Amino acid sequence: MLSHRAQILPASSTAALDAHIKSLLADGADIINLTGGELDFPTPQQATDGAHQAIDAGHTRYTAVAGLTELREAIAQRLNTHWGCAYDPAQIVTTNGAKQALAQLFTVLCEPGDEVLLQAPHWVSFPHMIRLAGATPVVIPTGDTGFKITPEQIQARLSPRTKVLLLNNPSNPTGLVYTERELRDLAALAVENGLTIVSDEIYGDLVHDGAIFTAVASLSEEIAAHTVTVAGFSKTYAMTGWRIGYAAAPLPVAKALSAVQGHTSSAPSSISQHAALAALAEDTDTELARRSRELGTRRTALRDGLNSLPPLRLAVEPQGGFFAFVDVSGLYRRPEDDAATIAQELLEQAGVAVMPGQDFAAPHHVRMSYAVSSSDISQALDRISTYLKTTTHRSTS
C-alpha cells in the first residue's frame, strides 16, 4: 500500500525524542531536558499583540500563497539591513516554518536521481527531505576538517548529477560558524560548476563571542543569483509553534516554490503572518540583543562545565545557535556502545536528556541544548558529574 519512499522514511528522531521526554515530564519525571531545538524565551510581546490585533480586525482569511505583501516587504528589508542581502519582496516566499521551505526547495530544484551535496554531521531531516524529492544525498564527512566542508571535498564528489550544495550556517548540531573567506571559496566553486546553493541560515541571528555571521547571498550579485536563503522566526523570535519561515530566492525559483506551495499547503496562517510582521518592528532589536547575550552566557556555562567533566569532550567551540556537540566515546564500556547507549544511561541514571548523534551522522556524539535556563544547565552538569563518578568507563583510544 505504501510507496517505497514512505516505507523507508523514519520518523524525525529529534521530534520523537523531544515528545517522549515532554511526555515523561508531564507524568512527573525528574528530567532536565537538553534535547530541544527551541528557546525557552517567550515570544516577543509585540508579536503576540500583533496576532491579537489581527484576530480582532478579522484578518482570518486566506492570504496570497507567498504570504502577505507587507510581511514579504519587511523580510526583504531585514535581510538587507541586517544581513546585507539585496532581495526584492517578489523573491520572498513565506512558508509553514523553514522546514517546509527546505522540503519544497528540493522538489523545485531536483530531478529524480540528481545529487545534493551536504556535510556530516548534519541536521537529521536533510537527507530525508532530499530523498523524498527523488534526489540523492551525497554526505561528506567533516570529522577530519574541523567539522566544516571544504572546496576540495566538494570537488572530489562532483558528478554530472550534482545539482545542489546544501549549507547550514551556523551549523546544527555543531554550532560552528563559517567565515566569510570559507563561504566565498565554497560559493565560487558552486558557481563555477553551475550548482544552486541552498543555505539554511535559521540560526544566523544567534552568534556568540565575536563570531561573525555572513549570509551567502550577501557575498556578490553573482553568488546571490545561485543562492536560496532559508530562515524564519522560530529561533530568533522564539516562535516555533507559530510556524513561520521563508525562502529568499532568485525570482524563477521563488515563483516555482510558490506554485508548489499553492498546490500543497497554501499560505501559512494569516494570524501567524501578522505576528511575524509585528516581530520585525525595529523596537524588538533591543530585546533580541538582550536575549542573545543571555544565550551566550548559557553557552559559556555549559562549555566550561563540560570541559571540566572528562572523559566527556566538547568536540568544537559552539559559535552560533544553541547546541553543544559532545564526544562521548570515552564513556564506552562495551564494544557495542555508541552515543545512543550513553544517552539512555544519562536519561535513566542521571535524569538528563540529550540527543544521540546517530541521525546526525555522528554516532559517537550527543547534542546538548543550552536553550534552557542557567539553573537547568547547572543542575544538568551536577547530575552528569555524579553519574561519571559512580560509573566506570573505558576509553576506546
Side-chain angles (χ1 to χ4, degrees):
M1 180 181 294
L2 295 177
S3 70
H4 176 68
R5 281 179 293 183
Q7 290 178 41
I8 65 173
L9 182 69
S12 168
S13 59
T14 53
L17 182 56
D18 190 53
H20 174 60
I21 300 305
K22 287 177 178 176
S23 176
L24 293 175
L25 289 168
D27 290 338
D30 181 17
I31 297 170
I32 298 175
N33 186 10
L34 304 184
T35 67
E38 58 184 352
L39 291 164
D40 65 333
F41 301 132
T43 297
Q45 185 61 48
Q46 69 185 52
T48 302
D49 291 344
H52 283 295
Q53 291 165 12
I55 293 171
D56 292 341
H59 297 312
T60 57
R61 307 295 184 183
Y62 292 132
T63 71
V65 169
L68 295 166
T69 299
E70 54 266 46
L71 175 57
R72 294 158 67 200
E73 290 173 344
I75 291 170
Q77 180 178 358
R78 191 177 194 282
L79 286 172
N80 187 3
T81 57
H82 284 66
W83 289 2
C85 302
Y87 284 113
D88 184 270
Q91 296 176 272
I92 309 296
V93 179
T94 62
T95 57
N96 291 281
K99 184 179 285 189
Q100 184 186 25
L102 288 161
Q104 291 180 165
L105 276 167
F106 297 123
T107 297
V108 164
L109 296 172
C110 298
E111 300 286 355
D114 282 348
E115 295 176 351
V116 178
L117 302 178
L118 70 157
Q119 74 172 65
H122 53 67
W123 178 48
V124 296
S125 293
F126 282 149
H128 305 301
M129 290 176 169
I130 294 164
R131 292 190 185 99
L132 277 174
T136 300
V138 177
V139 179
I140 303 174
T142 59
D144 294 331
T145 56
F147 297 106
K148 289 182 177 181
I149 200 169
T150 67
E152 292 77 17
Q153 290 175 312
I154 293 173
Q155 188 72 58
R157 289 164 176 83
L158 287 173
S159 82
R161 301 297 298 182
T162 308
K163 189 69 174 293
V164 173
L165 171 62
L166 173 58
L167 299 176
N168 180 203
N169 180 44
S171 170
N172 174 9
T174 67
L176 284 175
V177 176
Y178 281 84
T179 67
E180 179 180 341
R181 180 71 266 165
E182 289 167 340
L183 291 173
R184 284 192 181 278
D185 291 343
L186 295 173
L189 184 60
V191 170
E192 178 185 342
N193 289 276
L195 307 184
T196 299
I197 302 167
V198 174
S199 188
D200 179 354
E201 300 176 356
I202 190 70
Y203 296 101
D205 290 315
L206 305 176
V207 294
H208 319 305
D209 283 2
I212 299 174
F213 166 73
T214 301
V216 175
S218 71
L219 296 174
S220 73
E221 289 186 12
E222 182 181 31
I223 291 172
H226 286 78
T227 299
V228 182
T229 303
V230 176
F233 293 77
S234 292
K235 313 302 180 180
T236 300
Y237 297 96
M239 293 177 67
T240 49
W242 298 84
R243 306 313 302 139
I244 292 289
Y246 59 85
L251 192 56
V253 176
K255 288 181 177 179
L257 186 61
S258 183
V260 169
Q261 186 159 289
H263 290 292
T264 51
S265 67
S266 294
S269 157
S270 60
I271 305 306
S272 294
Q273 289 188 61
H274 280 280
L277 179 60
L280 287 174
E282 290 183 3
D283 54 354
T284 58
D285 286 352
T286 300
E287 172 63 14
L288 293 179
R290 185 194 69 77
R291 293 182 177 196
S292 183
R293 289 193 298 272
E294 169 62 19
L295 198 59
T297 298
R298 297 177 182 183
R299 187 286 308 261
T300 299
L302 182 58
R303 177 200 65 194
D304 292 350
L306 289 170
N307 284 338
S308 69
L309 292 175
L312 288 178
R313 185 176 65 83
L314 191 63
V316 290
E317 178 87 359
Q319 298 172 299
F322 40 74
F323 299 118
F325 192 54
V326 184
D327 185 335
V328 296
S329 61
L331 303 184
Y332 296 168
R333 296 188 301 277
R334 301 169 295 270
E336 65 270 21
D337 283 349
D338 57 16
T341 307
I342 303 304
Q344 189 66 29
E345 287 190 5
L346 285 171
L347 179 62
E348 294 176 351
Q349 300 179 33
V352 177
V354 300
M355 186 65 65
Q358 276 81 349
D359 290 342
F360 296 101
H364 302 301
H365 294 75
V366 300
R367 191 190 72 178
M368 297 185 184
S369 172
Y370 49 92
V372 297
S373 70
S374 295
S375 174
D376 278 352
I377 291 171
S378 178
Q379 290 184 59
L381 290 168
D382 286 344
R383 292 183 181 195
I384 294 171
S385 176
T386 299
Y387 159 79
L388 293 174
K389 291 174 183 176
T390 56
T391 307
T392 302
H393 300 98
R394 68 171 178 83
S395 172
T396 57
S397 60

